[in-house]
């Protein structure tokens, strides 16, 4: 009935939106539906940040337009007041807060450039290595599923070790950079897209294929262990040499004194 009254232009107690405000509300509704659909389609595997940042950015712009737009007829037709705060539920505000909280919980800012117009260079590099790793897994599994037992994936471990190692090292590097404040200048967790991709790859590598990475700290550990083991030998050797040197220092003056006494005795009797 309200819609019919508005369309007929009949006066009444029901507030009527100005055409500009109605257009903004319709655009926000369409943007919300588009963003919701994008989030739902990219929920598994998680591709929220890389696939929905355009929808999210446009929705923010629409909400900002509503918050700052003013109708032409009178102050009572202020779009912000009519759309955002005219009722207790405040549906538009609630929707905007939901999308903001979801985006922040996903830490999508840590995958994007500061302008939020696209993925950061480091994120693109990571996703490229991630796709190469999955391609390597798939390629080395083709034609082998029948011949290999479920726990024997030696070809995958051998042929994909280099790609997986690069991916793992890059992920650890991104974590360290992110703690210091990386490209996105947001110090928090990595974005959910990167975390989910790395979790998937690690589960495939360790649980499904039973592969393992050689410990990169093996050489330093061996060096430190060897040094610690040789410490007692060095200590006892240095103690032994030091004691021998002290004995020589103590004995040497006695010999000099005895020689001097012998000379004096000879001169006395001569």
């Amino acid at each position: 009935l309200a819609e019919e009254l508005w369309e007929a232009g009949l006066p009444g107690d029901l507030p009527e939106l100005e055409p500009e405000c109605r257009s903004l509300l319709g655009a926000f509704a369409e943007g919300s539906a588009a963003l919701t659909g994008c989030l739902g389609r990219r929920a598994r595997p998680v591709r929220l940040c890389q696939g929905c940042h355009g929808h999210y950015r446009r929705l923010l712009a629409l909400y900002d337009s509503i918050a700052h737009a003013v109708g032409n007829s009178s102050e009572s037709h202020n779009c912000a007041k009519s759309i955002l705060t005219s009722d207790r539920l405040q549906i538009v505000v609630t929707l905007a807060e939901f999308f903001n909280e979801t985006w922040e919980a996903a830490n999508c800012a840590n995958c994007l450039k500061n302008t939020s117009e696209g993925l950061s260079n480091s994120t693109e590099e990571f996703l490229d290595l991630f796709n190469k790793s999955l391609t390597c897994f798939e390629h080395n599994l083709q034609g082998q599923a029948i011949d290999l037992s479920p726990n024997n994936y030696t070809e995958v471990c051998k042929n994909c070790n280099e790609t997986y190692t690069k991916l793992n090292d890059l992920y650890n590097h991104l974590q360290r950079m992110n703690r210091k404040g990386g490209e996105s200048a947001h110090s928090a967790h990595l974005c959910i897209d990167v975390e989910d991709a790395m979790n998937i790859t690690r589960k495939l590598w360790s649980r499904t294929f039973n592969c393992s990475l050689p410990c990169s700290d093996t050489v330093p550990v061996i060096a430190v262990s060897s040094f610690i083991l040789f410490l007692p030998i060095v200590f006892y050797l240095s103690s032994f040499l030091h004691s021998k040197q002290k004995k020589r220092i103590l004995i040497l003056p006695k010999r000099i004194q005895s020689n001097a006494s012998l000379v004096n005795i000879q001169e006395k009797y001569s």
Side-chain angles (χ1 to χ4, degrees), residues 238-248:
S238 61
S239 299
F240 175 76
L241 293 176
H242 185 65
S243 62
K244 294 286 285 186
Q245 186 176 5
K246 289 185 69 175
K247 287 181 180 179
R248 289 177 182 175

Side-chain angles (χ1 to χ4, degrees), residues 7-266:
E7 291 176 2
L10 296 177
D13 295 333
L14 293 174
E16 181 181 355
L17 288 176
E18 285 189 354
E20 178 187 357
C21 299
R22 182 179 292 278
S23 175
L24 288 172
L25 180 59
F28 182 84
E30 293 176 0
S32 299
L35 180 56
T36 302
C38 183
L39 295 176
R41 287 189 299 271
R42 296 177 180 270
R44 193 76 256 161
V46 181
R47 300 292 183 270
L48 305 183
C49 306
Q50 55 189 299
C52 304
H53 64 87
H55 293 292
Y56 177 72
R57 193 172 64 252
R58 285 189 290 272
L59 191 67
L60 284 184
L62 287 169
Y63 184 82
D64 188 66
S65 298
I66 294 174
H68 296 91
V70 179
N72 297 323
S73 59
S74 66
E75 186 179 355
S76 63
H77 286 144
N78 184 309
C79 293
K81 180 179 179 181
S82 301
I83 297 175
L84 302 181
T85 61
S86 60
D87 63 272
R88 178 179 60 82
L89 191 56
Q90 299 181 7
I91 297 175
V92 173
V93 176
T94 302
L95 284 174
E97 289 178 350
F98 166 76
F99 289 124
N100 283 332
E101 290 172 1
T102 301
W103 201 254
E104 291 175 2
N107 294 297
C108 287
N110 291 310
C111 273
L112 305 175
K113 298 176 181 177
N114 288 334
T115 58
S116 298
E117 294 181 354
L119 296 176
S120 63
N121 294 333
S122 58
T123 303
E124 289 185 342
E125 182 183 1
F126 175 85
L127 293 176
D128 180 62
L129 274 175
F130 169 68
N131 291 329
K132 288 181 178 178
S133 298
L134 294 185
T135 301
C136 184
F137 294 164
E138 183 180 1
H139 176 75
N140 284 274
L141 287 174
Q142 288 179 353
Q144 299 181 13
I146 299 176
D147 300 330
L148 296 177
S149 64
N151 296 321
N152 186 7
Y153 296 98
T154 54
E155 291 298 316
V156 175
C157 300
K158 180 177 68 175
N159 297 331
C160 302
N161 180 73
E162 182 179 357
T163 306
Y164 176 79
T165 302
K166 289 181 180 179
L167 180 70
N168 192 66
D169 291 343
L170 178 58
Y171 180 79
N172 293 332
H173 172 72
L174 292 178
Q175 279 189 317
R176 291 191 296 270
M177 292 295 294
N178 198 59
R179 295 190 189 103
K180 300 176 183 178
E183 291 180 67
S184 62
H186 290 265
S187 181
H189 292 286
L190 293 175
C191 75
I192 190 63
D193 293 26
V194 171
E195 289 184 342
D196 186 69
M198 195 67 231
N199 287 339
I200 290 173
T201 313
R202 283 176 172 172
K203 286 178 182 178
L204 287 172
W205 183 260
S206 60
R207 296 183 185 180
T208 304
F209 304 138
N210 291 319
C211 302
S212 61
L213 282 177
C215 182
S216 58
D217 297 331
T218 301
V219 174
V221 169
I222 293 176
V224 172
S225 301
S226 301
F227 175 75
I228 294 175
L229 289 174
F230 277 102
L231 275 179
I233 299 175
V234 174
F235 174 76
Y236 286 115
L237 182 62
S238 61
S239 299
F240 175 76
L241 293 176
H242 185 65
S243 62
K244 294 286 285 186
Q245 186 176 5
K246 289 185 69 175
K247 287 181 180 179
R248 289 177 182 175
I249 293 174
L250 292 173
I251 293 172
L252 186 60
K254 292 181 179 179
R255 290 180 178 177
I256 294 175
Q257 185 178 3
S258 61
N259 291 338
S261 301
L262 181 61
V263 171
N264 291 334
I265 294 172
Q266 290 177 354

